């Protein structure tokens, strides 16, 4: 009994000891520290990791139990959402009857709900963190998985976030201060955060909230490189560090490819939060600035919170365990690229391997059965819950004559076209239906495609036409519409550097936008499309 009591109290004792120790951080410069200071820093890190490991083991047990009894866990999650709801629409007792629940709460289209002026229920959280046990488990178990795959990444002073907001869904408070964020003070200015990160040559893991934001950060670095180097050399905001400024200037001279490893030679992994529309940014980072580095996302975030957990950093395909706890998740079967409108939703335990489903989410804030539009494919199971790969988003579909050109079809066609453009690297893209910009007057309706490329300053008309040819190969129905002249050829526009950053800034201030963290690939609002239209260079 005494031994059991000691085991239960040990994590608390470790945490108390951690808090009693004086706070130190490793300096950016290569300077010798007193032995006592180094010893305290290492002890702080050791104690913090012990606390995190204990908490992760506890959460792993809870996750195993909840996934082992998936149906029961989902019933409890639904009951919790009903009890906590600000707008009760059915009694908690009815949560045990799925048919009654579905009758009381019909499915809601996310795009329609998000565009209502007075509705903010479906918007992602405005803070940098998500709430709930799923977020905590994603953070704790993600750190354990990251440490197994990259043991040196979480060494003292080895990890830092290059954006003001962390990719980890939940805050670890005191253990986190000493473990992963010890070197990053609470900085809200992205420029100062980038400056602080550049001063740390020993980084082994680089964090950013999303891959899209990291893409913007590296673009900013190339533009402001000399200014930042001068600030580092002269000690603006921090102590002078002239040798590091020289390293920054030399690294920038050699171009974009492999820049991250030149700046941080010991860098091993990039950590970002996955959400809709991030895959293209990950590919661009991997081909240019972060070439040779591994990528890891601890979770998949959508409107309403964290819905997928990732414990497999060694797998590069982005696999996520759908969590059975709050928010409440249902699966709507997909057939031949469209939703089965009459099909009932399924619980997680009813998912079949190899099948595709649209996610339906119910949270306690709005108590709305929201069809997220995110389509997943089941690849395996973890106890009773599916492990999925996110495929595409149904609300990112193009249609000017009744055709369905979904995000997956268009992205694959665009990737094929880019491979046909010698030397081109795709950084970003967005599509607009011609009716949004009134650009189809006197011609057939068509797609307007805005691209940011590296390696090409201009595209010939012949090369631009290759995208339309690839679209026809990818979609037989689109090809038939093009053959009949019902749909015009896709028009390709190249935008200058900074165009997509300006668009993201405009979207972040738009109440109905899902960005951040989700990045749209089809724009429905004219004022947002015009942000890119004004920055077309070719």
């Amino acid at each position: 009994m005494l031994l059991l009591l000691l085991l239960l109290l040990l994590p608390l004792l470790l945490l108390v000891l951690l808090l009693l120790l004086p706070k130190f951080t490793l300096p950016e410069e290569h300077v010798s520290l007193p032995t006592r200071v180094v010893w305290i820093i290492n002890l702080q890190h050791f104690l913090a990791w012990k606390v995190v490991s204990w908490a992760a083991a506890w959460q792993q047990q809870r996750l195993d139990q909840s996934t082992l009894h998936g149906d029961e866990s989902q019933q409890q999650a639904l009951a919790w959402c009903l009890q906590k709801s600000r707008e009760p629409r059915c009694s908690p007792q009815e949560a045990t009857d799925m048919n009654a629940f579905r009758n009381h709460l019909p499915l809601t289209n996310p795009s329609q709900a998000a565009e209502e002026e007075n509705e903010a229920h479906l918007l992602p959280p405005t803070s940098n963190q998500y709430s709930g046990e799923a977020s905590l488990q994603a953070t704790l178990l993600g750190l354990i998985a990251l440490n197994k795959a990259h043991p040196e990444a979480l060494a003292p002073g080895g990890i830092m976030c290059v954006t003001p907001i962390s990719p980890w869904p939940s805050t670890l408070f005191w253990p986190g201060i000493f473990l992963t964020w010890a070197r990053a003070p609470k900085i809200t200015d992205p420029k100062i955060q980038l400056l602080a990160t550049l001063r740390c040559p020993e980084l082994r893991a680089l964090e950013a909230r999303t891959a899209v934001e990291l893409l913007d950060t590296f673009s900013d670095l190339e533009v402001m490189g000399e200014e930042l180097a001068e600030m580092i050399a002269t000690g603006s905001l921090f102590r002078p560090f002239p040798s590091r400024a020289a390293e920054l200037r030399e690294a920038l001279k050699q171009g974009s490819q492999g820049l991250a490893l030149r700046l941080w030679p010991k860098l091993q992994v990039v950590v970002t939060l996955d959400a809709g529309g991030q895959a293209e940014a990950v590919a661009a980072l991997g081909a240019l600035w972060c070439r040779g580095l591994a990528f890891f996302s601890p979770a998949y975030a959508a409107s309403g919170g964290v819905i997928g957990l990732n414990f497999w950093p060694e797998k590069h395909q982005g696999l996520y365990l759908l969590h059975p706890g709050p928010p409440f998740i249902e699966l709507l079967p997909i057939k031949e690229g469209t939703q089965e409108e009459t099909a009932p939703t399924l619980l997680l335990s009813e998912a079949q391997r190899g099948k595709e489903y649209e996610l339906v989410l119910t949270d306690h804030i709005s108590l709305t059965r929201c069809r997220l539009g995110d389509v997943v494919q089941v690849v395996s199971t973890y106890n009773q819950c599916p492990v999925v790969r996110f495929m595409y988003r149904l609300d990112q579909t193009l249609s000017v004559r009744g055709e369905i050109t979904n995000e997956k079809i268009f992205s694959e066609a665009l990737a094929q076209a880019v491979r046909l453009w010698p030397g081109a690297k795709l950084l970003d893209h967005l599509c607009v239906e011609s009716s949004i910009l009134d650009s189809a007057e006197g011609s057939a309706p068509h797609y307007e495609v805005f691209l940011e490329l590296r390696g090409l300053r201009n595209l010939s008309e012949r090369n631009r036409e290759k995208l339309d040819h690839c679209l026809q190969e990818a979609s037989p129905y689109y090809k038939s519409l093009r053959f009949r002249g019902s749909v015009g050829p896709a028009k390709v526009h190249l935008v200058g550097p900074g165009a997509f950053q300006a668009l993201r800034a405009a979207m972040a201030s738009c109440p109905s936008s899902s960005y951040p963290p989700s990045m749209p690939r089809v724009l429905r609002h004219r004022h947002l499309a015009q942000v890119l239209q004004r920055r077309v260079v070719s």
Side-chain angles (χ1 to χ4, degrees):
M1 180 64 71
L2 181 60
L3 180 60
L4 179 61
L5 182 62
L6 288 174
L7 289 175
L8 292 174
L9 292 176
L10 182 59
L12 181 59
L13 294 174
L14 290 175
L15 184 58
V16 171
L17 180 58
L18 182 65
L19 298 179
L20 291 176
L21 290 172
K23 176 69 169 63
F24 293 104
T25 59
L26 295 174
E28 300 93 343
E29 300 89 343
H30 292 284
V31 297
S32 297
L33 291 175
T35 303
R36 174 178 172 274
V37 174
V38 174
W39 184 85
I40 291 178
I41 289 174
N42 289 329
L43 179 60
Q44 288 173 339
H45 183 272
F46 172 79
L47 293 175
W49 184 248
K50 285 298 181 182
V51 171
V52 168
S53 298
W54 174 85
W58 175 52
Q59 288 296 328
Q60 182 69 63
Q61 291 181 352
R62 290 183 60 83
L63 179 66
D64 289 342
Q65 284 298 314
S66 64
T67 56
L68 190 62
H69 307 284
D71 288 349
E72 181 181 344
S73 299
Q74 285 208 275
Q75 292 286 358
Q76 293 173 354
L78 180 55
W80 183 87
C81 289
L82 292 171
Q83 291 170 357
K84 298 292 183 180
S85 174
R86 300 172 186 173
E87 301 178 8
R89 301 185 187 180
C90 57
S91 65
Q93 289 76 15
E94 291 175 313
T96 57
D97 186 348
M98 288 302 300
N99 290 328
F101 168 72
R102 290 168 179 144
N103 290 335
H104 277 87
L105 296 176
L107 294 178
T108 303
N109 187 306
S111 60
Q112 292 175 348
E115 288 175 0
E116 294 180 11
E117 288 186 13
N118 298 322
E119 295 290 336
H121 303 316
L122 303 180
L123 298 181
T126 55
S127 68
N128 60 321
Q129 303 297 334
Y130 297 84
S131 61
E133 189 173 45
S135 301
L136 180 60
Q137 290 176 351
T139 300
L140 289 171
L141 302 182
L143 284 170
I144 297 298
L146 180 63
N147 186 63
K148 288 181 179 178
H150 306 281
E152 297 181 358
L154 295 179
I159 187 167
M160 194 165 182
C161 190
V162 77
T163 56
I165 298 178
S166 167
W168 300 100
S170 183
T171 301
L172 294 183
F173 299 108
W174 286 106
I177 292 175
F178 296 102
L179 185 63
T180 56
W181 300 286
R183 299 206 37 82
K186 290 185 178 179
I187 301 173
T188 57
D189 188 331
K191 182 178 179 180
I192 298 177
Q193 184 71 47
L194 176 57
L195 182 68
T197 307
L198 289 171
R199 292 174 59 86
C200 303
E202 300 296 319
L203 290 187
R204 293 170 174 82
L206 184 66
E207 297 179 348
R209 175 168 56 171
T210 63
V212 164
E213 290 169 278
L214 183 59
L215 185 72
D216 289 343
T217 298
F218 275 109
S219 297
D220 287 340
L221 175 57
E222 292 181 329
V223 173
M224 303 186 301
E226 181 55 38
E227 178 187 353
L228 293 170
E230 185 64 23
M231 293 175 71
I232 292 173
T234 59
S236 177
L237 302 178
F238 301 94
R239 287 180 293 180
F241 198 174
S243 61
R244 183 59 179 162
E247 292 173 356
L248 173 58
R249 289 187 175 104
E250 182 59 30
L252 289 170
K253 285 180 183 178
Q254 299 178 45
S256 303
Q257 196 166 87
L259 177 60
L261 277 175
R262 293 197 300 274
L263 290 173
W264 303 286
K266 296 181 181 180
L267 197 61
Q268 298 176 359
V269 61
V270 175
V271 182
T272 60
L273 180 66
D274 200 359
Q278 301 294 326
E280 193 167 273
V282 171
L285 289 165
L288 292 171
W289 300 279
C290 299
R291 189 178 182 89
L293 294 172
F295 285 80
F296 173 61
S297 168
Y300 188 95
S303 300
V306 168
I307 56 177
L309 285 65
N310 182 6
F311 315 133
W312 307 280
E314 70 280 0
K315 297 182 180 180
H316 305 293
Q317 299 174 331
L319 302 182
Y320 297 92
L321 167 66
L322 293 185
H323 196 276
F328 179 67
I329 300 173
E330 300 170 82
L331 303 174
L332 183 63
I334 297 288
K335 184 177 181 181
E336 296 180 358
T338 61
Q339 307 99 317
E340 291 189 51
E341 300 289 349
T342 59
T345 56
L346 306 177
L347 295 178
L348 297 184
S349 62
E350 299 173 301
Q352 298 181 34
R353 183 175 300 188
K355 298 291 186 179
E356 292 187 355
Y357 302 92
E358 180 188 1
L359 297 180
V360 177
L361 185 141
T362 303
D363 65 18
H364 70 284
I365 298 175
S366 62
L367 200 60
T368 302
R369 292 178 68 213
C370 175
R371 286 168 49 177
L372 295 182
D374 295 65
V375 175
V376 301
Q377 182 184 57
V378 178
V379 297
S380 64
T381 57
Y382 185 93
N383 292 330
Q384 284 192 352
C385 293
V387 176
V388 302
R389 178 185 297 111
F390 284 80
M391 304 298 291
Y392 55 93
R393 296 168 292 172
L394 291 170
D395 60 347
Q396 301 299 302
T397 296
L398 291 163
S399 179
V400 295
R401 285 290 191 191
E403 81 285 6
I404 298 176
T405 305
N406 65 38
E407 184 178 23
K408 181 182 177 183
I409 292 174
F410 188 89
S411 295
E412 290 176 352
L414 178 59
Q416 177 64 25
V418 172
R419 286 193 288 269
L420 300 176
W421 300 336
K425 293 285 191 300
L426 177 66
L427 299 189
D428 231 327
H429 91 272
L430 268 166
C431 302
V432 183
E433 294 168 1
S434 57
S435 60
I436 301 295
L437 290 172
D438 293 331
S439 57
E441 294 184 8
S443 62
H446 56 273
Y447 306 154
E448 301 278 353
V449 184
F450 298 90
L451 307 177
E452 183 176 353
L453 300 175
R454 282 290 177 95
L456 280 182
R457 294 187 177 182
N458 198 357
L459 276 177
S460 65
E461 284 301 318
R462 183 178 179 182
N463 275 329
R464 293 173 196 258
E465 292 170 358
K466 290 179 181 178
L467 173 58
D468 194 74
H469 294 323
C470 292
L471 278 172
Q472 293 182 48
E473 292 301 316
S475 173
Y477 188 58
Y478 177 82
K479 184 175 183 178
S480 68
L481 292 175
R482 287 283 297 111
F483 178 77
R484 296 198 300 265
S486 302
V487 172
K491 295 185 178 180
V492 178
H493 310 280
L494 300 188
V495 298
F500 280 89
Q501 287 175 267
L503 173 65
R504 283 188 269 273
M507 288 192 297
S509 62
C510 182
S512 63
S513 174
S514 62
Y515 176 83
S518 180
M519 179 63 194
R521 294 300 169 193
V522 176
L523 291 180
R524 310 291 184 190
H525 300 283
R526 179 179 299 184
H527 73 279
L528 293 176
Q530 288 174 337
V531 173
L532 291 179
Q533 193 176 40
R534 288 193 294 266
R535 289 165 173 81
V536 170
V537 295
S538 171

